[in-house]
Each structure stands twice: as C-alpha cells, then as structure tokens.
Amino acid sequence: MKTVDRPYHHGNLRNELIRVGLELASEGGLNAVGLREASRRIGVSPSAAYRHFESQADLVQAVRNRLLESMDEKLQFALSEVEGEDVVSRIRALGVGYFKFALDNPKQFEVFTFVFPLAEDWATASGRPMQILTSLMKEVKPDAEDLFAEAVPVWAAFHGATFLCTLGSLRNHSDEEKWAVQESTADLVIRGLNLIP
C-alpha cells in the first residue's frame, strides 16, 4: 500500500486527507475511502484525522466535492471546444465531457455518483453539471416553466449510458464499443428534443 512521500504541512491535514482520499477513490472506489487508511498513509493517528472529519461519510463527501470540481472543469473545457457553435454541438460536447470523465476515472465516478443527493447549489454554482444542462434546455425550450424537469431526462440518458459503460454491464466492452453507445445516446437525446430529424 502507498504511503505519503512527504510530510504534510502543519495545519494542512484536512487537505492532505482529501488528497489521499482521492487516491483511495481512484484505487478502489467508494468503499476504499476511509479515515483510518488515509491516516495510515499520511502517517498520523486516526484521532488526528477525526479532528477534521467526524466520520468516513464526511471524508467521502469532501472527496466527492473535489471530484465535482474536477468534473466541472472537464465539462467547461469540453464546452470551450465548441464555443459559439449551436446548441446541438454543445449538448453533444456536454455528453462527451461527462462520459470521458467517467471512462478515464471509473472508480472516482463511482464515488461521484453513488449515495449523495444532487448538490444544493446545483442551480446557482457556476459550472455545475445540472446548471449547465438547464441553461442549454433554456435555449431549446425557452417557454418551459420547469427547466429542471426538462433537463432530468437528458441527464438520465447520458448518465445511464455512462454508468453502463463504466460500472455496469458494458464495462468490459472495448472503448470503441463504449463510445459508440455514447454517440447513439447523444443522437437519441437530440432527436428526442426535436433538434435533428
């Protein structure tokens, strides 16, 4: 098992626990993220870690928040690649960014998607996946009264395909086959929104 290769700086234990928690998530997914193992790798006592996190669930939540920030960055980058293009291109780019994050980091994606509800600031925090998606739905359906309700089926389609290809029944398929699923899902979503014939 890994141990940290440098001492943490005094007063920075919380961030170091989150950093190691991300390592644990990458290696073993949700169940691998634990305060005792994180403490052992850093070289501190569990009691020191518990001063910063009351429970394993609190550490997992902090790790998930960091993963959400990483996801936000990936989605913003994907959208920047099609800046100025039509809404169809941006919906496709959003789906690709989400899928690529999960394909590159399946264990982190597990932590990102399991257990926790939608973040309370989904509608107001810049870059949140649902904030981005609802803004796109506003372009597609400007007269819609409930943009969240319009966005959820799109999210469900993209997330369902992503889950199947990373953690579900299609996880052992080739990358080429997985990307074909993603592209077909995007086509289905866009046709369902009446954006292409």
Side-chain angles (χ1 to χ4, degrees), residues 64-74 112 128:
R64 183 180 183 271
N65 288 342
R66 288 286 175 89
L67 291 174
L68 184 58
E69 292 172 4
S70 179
M71 169 71 84
D72 293 348
E73 291 173 3
K74 296 292 191 300
F112 176 78
R128 290 288 188 263

Side-chain angles (χ1 to χ4, degrees), residues 36-188:
R36 289 189 177 277
E37 178 58 20
S39 301
R40 190 193 68 77
R41 293 193 183 195
I42 294 169
V44 299
S45 67
S47 61
Y50 278 103
R51 294 190 191 104
H52 297 275
F53 297 100
E54 292 185 359
S55 67
Q56 176 178 343
D58 288 338
L59 175 60
V60 172
Q61 180 65 74
V63 168
R64 183 180 183 271
N65 288 342
R66 288 286 175 89
L67 291 174
L68 184 58
E69 292 172 4
S70 179
M71 169 71 84
D72 293 348
E73 291 173 3
K74 296 292 191 300
L75 295 182
Q76 293 292 355
F77 176 78
L79 289 169
S80 74
E81 296 284 281
V82 292
E83 187 175 358
E85 297 189 23
D86 62 17
V87 70
V88 170
S89 298
R90 284 176 281 138
I91 290 172
R92 286 190 186 278
L94 188 67
V96 166
Y98 192 81
F99 193 81
K100 188 175 188 308
F101 175 89
L103 209 60
D104 291 345
N105 310 281
K107 294 296 185 181
Q108 290 187 358
F109 183 69
E110 178 185 331
V111 177
F112 176 78
T113 56
F114 274 73
V115 180
F116 297 99
L118 189 68
E120 291 181 1
D121 63 351
W122 71 266
T124 57
S126 176
R128 290 288 188 263
M130 281 302 291
Q131 186 272 333
I132 296 171
L133 187 53
T134 52
S135 70
L136 291 173
M137 288 302 99
K138 189 172 184 179
E139 293 185 49
V140 175
K141 300 186 177 184
D143 298 324
E145 294 183 3
D146 188 344
L147 290 171
F148 180 79
E150 299 291 342
V152 165
V154 178
W155 178 25
F158 281 133
H159 178 74
T162 302
F163 181 90
L164 283 170
C165 290
T166 54
L167 302 171
S169 301
L170 305 182
R171 64 186 180 279
N172 294 325
H173 282 44
S174 69
D175 283 355
E176 182 179 359
E177 291 171 317
K178 292 175 181 179
W179 277 107
V181 170
Q182 197 282 327
E183 290 172 12
S184 296
T185 301
D187 287 343
L188 185 67

